[in-house]
Amino acid sequence: MTHETRPLAVFDLDGTLADSGHRQHFLQGVRRDWRGFFAAAVDDPPLDEGTRLVLSSAEECEVRYLTGRPERCRRDTVAWLAEQGLPEGRVYMRRNDDRRPARHTKLEILKRLGRERQVRMLVDDDELVCDAAELAGFTVVRARWAVASPALKDAQERAGRT
């Protein structure tokens, strides 16, 4: 068994590699439909800019995926990554009962990864996650190629769900 020494390239999913626009309507209104929102993720089209970046990063880096999706979505998420032809890589997800904002959950995992290996970059669309990662000393690529609805931004920060 060879010990991997390549640096890590860490990619978010929703809004970075996966176009979640078609399912953001589940988060509108007072009663958000989280089950519907996550169940519809299997139909996300890939985002071309994110796909190109993850494929080119895989030439020099080991790819890891860091998502705010809950653990119960693992099977569908791993299948979606394979269907898109994206590089294999470990997927880090939030515990099903973890409702902290993504900037906390993701930074905690990112710091742990940084203690094990060099993290060449984090690619994420959540500005608050990006700000926190930069403040902690990580190189960040801000995925600004997808449009997030105000409902999704609120869900990421206040509801701690994605």
Side-chain angles (χ1 to χ4, degrees):
M1 181 174 109
T2 60
H3 181 68
E4 184 65 64
T5 58
R6 294 184 301 162
L8 301 176
V10 182
F11 284 81
D12 171 50
L13 297 177
D14 299 330
T16 300
L17 297 176
D19 185 350
S20 59
H22 71 98
R23 57 188 167 103
Q24 292 181 13
H25 66 90
F26 287 107
L27 303 181
Q28 295 170 346
V30 178
R31 296 186 50 88
R32 295 180 175 136
D33 179 2
W34 289 105
R35 292 216 178 271
F37 177 75
F38 288 121
V42 297
D43 297 321
D44 287 357
L47 289 164
D48 291 340
E49 208 166 328
T51 298
R52 281 192 299 273
L53 185 56
V54 73
L55 291 172
S56 65
S57 296
E59 294 173 13
E60 294 184 11
C61 298
E62 180 182 342
V63 172
R64 303 269 179 103
Y65 301 99
L66 176 58
T67 180
R69 293 179 186 183
E71 186 63 44
R72 70 177 180 273
C73 300
R74 179 170 294 279
R75 182 180 302 147
D76 287 346
T77 298
V78 171
W80 184 89
L81 289 165
E83 288 167 13
Q84 307 313 313
L86 297 176
E88 286 187 23
R90 186 164 175 193
V91 179
Y92 299 88
M93 307 180 90
R94 73 168 66 236
R95 293 185 326 270
N96 288 329
D97 63 346
D98 188 345
R99 300 284 188 266
R100 293 176 297 153
R103 64 188 150 93
H104 297 299
T105 59
K106 287 185 173 183
L107 188 59
E108 184 178 285
I109 293 168
L110 198 58
K111 284 180 176 179
R112 190 172 68 231
L113 291 175
R115 286 191 295 270
E116 300 168 10
R117 299 260 288 284
Q118 176 199 357
V119 175
R120 177 156 302 163
M121 68 178 149
L122 167 70
V123 184
D124 203 301
D125 69 315
D126 184 326
E127 294 292 334
L128 295 173
V129 169
C130 292
D131 290 347
E134 282 180 341
L135 197 60
F138 292 97
T139 299
V140 172
V141 175
R142 293 174 187 257
R144 292 182 172 145
W145 42 81
V147 178
S149 72
L152 179 61
K153 288 181 180 181
D154 182 63
Q156 288 174 323
E157 181 55 21
R158 292 196 314 128
R161 295 286 190 123
T162 181

PDB file of all heavy atoms in Angstrom, residues 3-4 13 15 17 28 49 54-55 76-77 92 94 130 139 154:
ATOM      1  N   HIS A   3       1.535   5.260   0.531  1.00  0.00           N
ATOM      2  CA  HIS A   3       1.014   6.367   1.340  1.00  0.00           C
ATOM      3  C   HIS A   3       0.842   7.578   0.432  1.00  0.00           C
ATOM      4  O   HIS A   3       1.783   8.005  -0.223  1.00  0.00           O
ATOM      5  CB  HIS A   3       1.968   6.671   2.496  1.00  0.00           C
ATOM      6  CG  HIS A   3       1.488   7.771   3.371  1.00  0.00           C
ATOM      7  ND1 HIS A   3       0.382   7.630   4.166  1.00  0.00           N
ATOM      8  CD2 HIS A   3       1.937   9.029   3.555  1.00  0.00           C
ATOM      9  CE1 HIS A   3       0.179   8.769   4.817  1.00  0.00           C
ATOM     10  NE2 HIS A   3       1.104   9.620   4.468  1.00  0.00           N
ATOM     11  N   GLU A   4      -0.357   8.108   0.374  1.00  0.00           N
ATOM     12  CA  GLU A   4      -0.663   9.249  -0.495  1.00  0.00           C
ATOM     13  C   GLU A   4      -0.035  10.516   0.066  1.00  0.00           C
ATOM     14  O   GLU A   4      -0.199  10.815   1.242  1.00  0.00           O
ATOM     15  CB  GLU A   4      -2.183   9.412  -0.592  1.00  0.00           C
ATOM     16  CG  GLU A   4      -2.629  10.486  -1.525  1.00  0.00           C
ATOM     17  CD  GLU A   4      -2.280  10.231  -2.982  1.00  0.00           C
ATOM     18  OE1 GLU A   4      -2.800   9.254  -3.546  1.00  0.00           O
ATOM     19  OE2 GLU A   4      -1.492  10.999  -3.549  1.00  0.00           O
ATOM     20  N   LEU A  13     -20.219  20.529  -3.018  1.00  0.00           N
ATOM     21  CA  LEU A  13     -21.079  19.960  -4.053  1.00  0.00           C
ATOM     22  C   LEU A  13     -22.128  20.952  -4.547  1.00  0.00           C
ATOM     23  O   LEU A  13     -22.049  21.438  -5.666  1.00  0.00           O
ATOM     24  CB  LEU A  13     -21.759  18.681  -3.544  1.00  0.00           C
ATOM     25  CG  LEU A  13     -20.813  17.539  -3.194  1.00  0.00           C
ATOM     26  CD1 LEU A  13     -21.585  16.357  -2.647  1.00  0.00           C
ATOM     27  CD2 LEU A  13     -19.994  17.134  -4.395  1.00  0.00           C
ATOM     28  N   GLY A  15     -24.043  23.911  -5.708  1.00  0.00           N
ATOM     29  CA  GLY A  15     -23.655  25.252  -6.133  1.00  0.00           C
ATOM     30  C   GLY A  15     -22.214  25.349  -6.586  1.00  0.00           C
ATOM     31  O   GLY A  15     -21.782  26.396  -7.051  1.00  0.00           O
ATOM     32  N   LEU A  17     -20.292  21.992  -7.740  1.00  0.00           N
ATOM     33  CA  LEU A  17     -20.239  20.932  -8.760  1.00  0.00           C
ATOM     34  C   LEU A  17     -21.632  20.554  -9.255  1.00  0.00           C
ATOM     35  O   LEU A  17     -21.786  20.111 -10.384  1.00  0.00           O
ATOM     36  CB  LEU A  17     -19.553  19.685  -8.194  1.00  0.00           C
ATOM     37  CG  LEU A  17     -18.100  19.850  -7.780  1.00  0.00           C
ATOM     38  CD1 LEU A  17     -17.577  18.564  -7.139  1.00  0.00           C
ATOM     39  CD2 LEU A  17     -17.238  20.245  -8.967  1.00  0.00           C
ATOM     40  N   GLN A  28     -38.389  27.367   0.015  1.00  0.00           N
ATOM     41  CA  GLN A  28     -39.128  28.626   0.106  1.00  0.00           C
ATOM     42  C   GLN A  28     -40.310  28.481   1.054  1.00  0.00           C
ATOM     43  O   GLN A  28     -40.849  27.396   1.235  1.00  0.00           O
ATOM     44  CB  GLN A  28     -39.596  29.057  -1.276  1.00  0.00           C
ATOM     45  CG  GLN A  28     -38.428  29.382  -2.195  1.00  0.00           C
ATOM     46  CD  GLN A  28     -38.847  29.589  -3.633  1.00  0.00           C
ATOM     47  OE1 GLN A  28     -39.949  29.248  -4.029  1.00  0.00           O
ATOM     48  NE2 GLN A  28     -37.939  30.154  -4.407  1.00  0.00           N
ATOM     49  N   GLU A  49     -18.217  24.626 -15.065  1.00  0.00           N
ATOM     50  CA  GLU A  49     -16.999  25.251 -14.549  1.00  0.00           C
ATOM     51  C   GLU A  49     -16.418  24.455 -13.377  1.00  0.00           C
ATOM     52  O   GLU A  49     -15.215  24.233 -13.287  1.00  0.00           O
ATOM     53  CB  GLU A  49     -17.289  26.694 -14.139  1.00  0.00           C
ATOM     54  CG  GLU A  49     -16.077  27.571 -14.252  1.00  0.00           C
ATOM     55  CD  GLU A  49     -16.410  29.053 -14.186  1.00  0.00           C
ATOM     56  OE1 GLU A  49     -17.497  29.462 -14.645  1.00  0.00           O
ATOM     57  OE2 GLU A  49     -15.569  29.794 -13.672  1.00  0.00           O
ATOM     58  N   VAL A  54     -12.509  20.455 -11.041  1.00  0.00           N
ATOM     59  CA  VAL A  54     -12.225  19.240 -10.267  1.00  0.00           C
ATOM     60  C   VAL A  54     -11.416  18.250 -11.112  1.00  0.00           C
ATOM     61  O   VAL A  54     -10.501  17.600 -10.606  1.00  0.00           O
ATOM     62  CB  VAL A  54     -13.502  18.602  -9.671  1.00  0.00           C
ATOM     63  CG1 VAL A  54     -14.350  17.916 -10.717  1.00  0.00           C
ATOM     64  CG2 VAL A  54     -13.161  17.612  -8.563  1.00  0.00           C
ATOM     65  N   LEU A  55     -11.720  18.147 -12.395  1.00  0.00           N
ATOM     66  CA  LEU A  55     -10.971  17.224 -13.250  1.00  0.00           C
ATOM     67  C   LEU A  55      -9.521  17.672 -13.428  1.00  0.00           C
ATOM     68  O   LEU A  55      -8.601  16.855 -13.363  1.00  0.00           O
ATOM     69  CB  LEU A  55     -11.666  17.076 -14.606  1.00  0.00           C
ATOM     70  CG  LEU A  55     -13.001  16.328 -14.572  1.00  0.00           C
ATOM     71  CD1 LEU A  55     -13.691  16.399 -15.928  1.00  0.00           C
ATOM     72  CD2 LEU A  55     -12.826  14.887 -14.120  1.00  0.00           C
ATOM     73  N   ASP A  76     -26.877   8.395  -2.403  1.00  0.00           N
ATOM     74  CA  ASP A  76     -27.244   9.164  -3.596  1.00  0.00           C
ATOM     75  C   ASP A  76     -26.110  10.086  -4.036  1.00  0.00           C
ATOM     76  O   ASP A  76     -25.866  10.264  -5.232  1.00  0.00           O
ATOM     77  CB  ASP A  76     -28.496  10.009  -3.335  1.00  0.00           C
ATOM     78  CG  ASP A  76     -29.774   9.166  -3.265  1.00  0.00           C
ATOM     79  OD1 ASP A  76     -29.745   7.990  -3.677  1.00  0.00           O
ATOM     80  OD2 ASP A  76     -30.792   9.705  -2.803  1.00  0.00           O
ATOM     81  N   THR A  77     -25.413  10.670  -3.082  1.00  0.00           N
ATOM     82  CA  THR A  77     -24.325  11.604  -3.395  1.00  0.00           C
ATOM     83  C   THR A  77     -23.168  10.887  -4.082  1.00  0.00           C
ATOM     84  O   THR A  77     -22.663  11.349  -5.111  1.00  0.00           O
ATOM     85  CB  THR A  77     -23.841  12.299  -2.095  1.00  0.00           C
ATOM     86  OG1 THR A  77     -24.938  13.050  -1.545  1.00  0.00           O
ATOM     87  CG2 THR A  77     -22.670  13.215  -2.370  1.00  0.00           C
ATOM     88  N   TYR A  92     -17.040  13.964   2.759  1.00  0.00           N
ATOM     89  CA  TYR A  92     -17.294  14.369   4.147  1.00  0.00           C
ATOM     90  C   TYR A  92     -18.658  15.043   4.193  1.00  0.00           C
ATOM     91  O   TYR A  92     -18.907  16.008   3.464  1.00  0.00           O
ATOM     92  CB  TYR A  92     -16.218  15.336   4.638  1.00  0.00           C
ATOM     93  CG  TYR A  92     -14.841  14.729   4.612  1.00  0.00           C
ATOM     94  CD1 TYR A  92     -14.053  14.807   3.470  1.00  0.00           C
ATOM     95  CD2 TYR A  92     -14.332  14.054   5.720  1.00  0.00           C
ATOM     96  CE1 TYR A  92     -12.792  14.237   3.434  1.00  0.00           C
ATOM     97  CE2 TYR A  92     -13.072  13.480   5.688  1.00  0.00           C
ATOM     98  CZ  TYR A  92     -12.306  13.579   4.542  1.00  0.00           C
ATOM     99  OH  TYR A  92     -11.063  13.005   4.505  1.00  0.00           O
ATOM    100  N   ARG A  94     -22.181  16.198   6.849  1.00  0.00           N
ATOM    101  CA  ARG A  94     -22.548  16.531   8.224  1.00  0.00           C
ATOM    102  C   ARG A  94     -23.360  15.392   8.840  1.00  0.00           C
ATOM    103  O   ARG A  94     -24.049  14.667   8.134  1.00  0.00           O
ATOM    104  CB  ARG A  94     -23.298  17.860   8.300  1.00  0.00           C
ATOM    105  CG  ARG A  94     -24.690  17.823   7.789  1.00  0.00           C
ATOM    106  CD  ARG A  94     -25.525  19.064   8.128  1.00  0.00           C
ATOM    107  NE  ARG A  94     -25.055  20.271   7.498  1.00  0.00           N
ATOM    108  CZ  ARG A  94     -24.727  21.379   8.178  1.00  0.00           C
ATOM    109  NH1 ARG A  94     -24.845  21.427   9.484  1.00  0.00           N
ATOM    110  NH2 ARG A  94     -24.307  22.439   7.546  1.00  0.00           N
ATOM    111  N   CYS A 130     -16.264  30.404   2.688  1.00  0.00           N
ATOM    112  CA  CYS A 130     -15.029  30.886   2.061  1.00  0.00           C
ATOM    113  C   CYS A 130     -14.311  31.890   2.961  1.00  0.00           C
ATOM    114  O   CYS A 130     -13.088  31.804   3.138  1.00  0.00           O
ATOM    115  CB  CYS A 130     -15.333  31.509   0.696  1.00  0.00           C
ATOM    116  SG  CYS A 130     -15.898  30.319  -0.546  1.00  0.00           S
ATOM    117  N   THR A 139      -6.286  28.436   1.167  1.00  0.00           N
ATOM    118  CA  THR A 139      -6.480  29.022  -0.156  1.00  0.00           C
ATOM    119  C   THR A 139      -7.876  28.632  -0.621  1.00  0.00           C
ATOM    120  O   THR A 139      -8.249  27.453  -0.572  1.00  0.00           O
ATOM    121  CB  THR A 139      -5.428  28.497  -1.147  1.00  0.00           C
ATOM    122  OG1 THR A 139      -4.139  28.871  -0.666  1.00  0.00           O
ATOM    123  CG2 THR A 139      -5.646  29.051  -2.537  1.00  0.00           C
ATOM    124  N   ASP A 154     -30.200  31.547   3.124  1.00  0.00           N
ATOM    125  CA  ASP A 154     -30.735  31.566   4.486  1.00  0.00           C
ATOM    126  C   ASP A 154     -30.632  30.175   5.113  1.00  0.00           C
ATOM    127  O   ASP A 154     -30.257  30.032   6.277  1.00  0.00           O
ATOM    128  CB  ASP A 154     -32.195  32.029   4.460  1.00  0.00           C
ATOM    129  CG  ASP A 154     -32.783  32.109   5.859  1.00  0.00           C
ATOM    130  OD1 ASP A 154     -32.297  32.918   6.670  1.00  0.00           O
ATOM    131  OD2 ASP A 154     -33.729  31.337   6.133  1.00  0.00           O
TER     132      ASP A 154
END
